[in-house]
Amino acid sequence: MKKGFCPQIQIAGIHDMDEAQLLADCGVESLGFPLRLAVHAEDVSESTAKKIIAAFHDTIPSVLITYLTDADEILSFCEELGTSMLQLHAEVPEKLLAELKARRPELYIIKSIIMPAQASEEATSQLKNLLKEYAPYADAFLTDSYDPATGATGATGKTHDWRLDRQLVELSPCPVILAGGLNPDNVHDAILQVHPAGVDAHTGVEGPDGRKDERLLRKFVSETRKAFSALG
């Protein structure tokens, strides 16, 4: 496993400073900011995200989650926001990760992998190929789900076959963060099945108004802590 920080609990989709403070109070270890997206509308403006990242810089790391594919734009955006953690959600060639690492070695790169809906020999083969491409440059992987109805790859509220995630954990030299449809009711079982290094949630801890719900957040954190404790 590569050295470096890997958040055990990451929550994405922060709307404002008050919501960021709520996440901090609930014990969240990383704040995710999906920006410049392919499908979904952003939860927060880039200027507000920059202010939140600066306010929590010394206490909770923030991750830029984006579908950008140009190295210049990515590095410029990270610098503008004031974060050295990046989650690449687009399909990109391995040479992009190599360039990012060469130009900014301290950049912590989380490469998302959109998991097939069901486990199969073909799916396992695909995972092995992705690991061969990305593992030399990624600091962590994050699994997520695809929604065929919207074309979204992330923030779908949908789960996938966790047997594939467990395979990825066993094969990967990097930490694996489990995401995709996680909520307070399923995160405990998901962790026990997958054995990830961390978990990530977005829509699963939101109320009907689309904002983070304190009751759901606290239950999510509690269930996550229980599961990781059980794994030892």
Side-chain angles (χ1 to χ4, degrees):
M1 180 178 291
K2 293 187 178 182
K3 295 181 180 180
F5 172 78
C6 181
Q8 198 170 69
I9 303 176
Q10 177 172 297
I11 300 296
I14 294 90
H15 293 82
D16 52 35
M17 194 72 73
D18 288 342
E19 196 164 86
Q21 186 60 59
L22 172 62
L23 298 183
D25 293 342
C26 289
V28 172
E29 297 175 336
S30 176
L31 307 178
F33 291 89
L35 296 167
R36 300 187 187 178
L37 306 178
V39 176
H40 295 297
E42 286 79 1
D43 301 287
V44 67
S45 68
E46 294 179 12
S47 60
T48 299
K50 182 178 179 179
K51 293 176 182 177
I52 296 172
I53 290 169
F56 289 87
H57 181 268
D58 295 329
T59 54
I60 305 177
S62 295
V63 181
L64 166 60
I65 303 169
T66 188
Y67 290 79
L68 295 177
T69 58
D70 179 78
D72 289 335
E73 187 175 3
I74 290 169
L75 293 176
S76 175
F77 198 17
C78 285
E79 184 175 353
E80 179 184 343
L81 290 176
T83 181
S84 59
M85 295 187 71
L86 168 70
Q87 183 176 315
L88 287 173
H89 225 66
E91 291 186 15
V92 295
E94 62 180 293
K95 65 180 181 180
L96 174 65
L97 275 71
E99 181 180 355
L100 292 172
K101 275 295 185 182
R103 293 174 59 180
R104 192 170 173 186
E106 76 280 7
L107 189 66
Y108 190 95
I109 300 177
I110 303 171
K111 181 64 188 81
S112 69
I113 296 179
I114 306 307
M115 305 296 277
Q118 296 294 328
S120 66
E121 290 186 8
E122 180 182 0
T124 300
S125 178
Q126 290 174 358
L127 290 181
K128 290 180 178 179
N129 289 335
L130 288 173
L131 285 176
K132 184 178 180 180
E133 291 181 14
Y134 294 131
Y137 313 106
D139 295 286
F141 291 109
L142 179 142
T143 63
D144 217 330
S145 302
Y146 172 68
D147 185 351
T150 64
T153 54
T156 64
K158 296 182 178 295
T159 59
H160 49 263
D161 193 332
W162 291 331
R163 291 176 296 174
L164 281 172
D165 299 74
R166 180 59 182 271
Q167 289 181 17
L168 182 63
V169 168
E170 293 172 347
L171 293 168
S172 176
C174 308
V176 175
I177 303 168
L178 173 64
L182 295 182
N183 59 58
D185 295 324
N186 66 12
V187 68
H188 186 277
D189 288 343
I191 291 170
L192 294 185
Q193 289 187 43
V194 176
H195 293 203
V199 293
D200 170 282
H202 188 153
T203 59
V205 290
E206 293 178 344
D209 60 354
R211 293 182 61 84
K212 301 298 182 287
D213 181 282
E214 182 173 358
R215 181 187 64 82
L216 295 176
L217 277 169
R218 292 195 180 280
K219 184 177 179 183
F220 184 88
V221 171
S222 175
E223 291 298 316
T224 297
R225 297 286 189 224
K226 289 178 185 177
F228 279 120
S229 178
L231 290 181

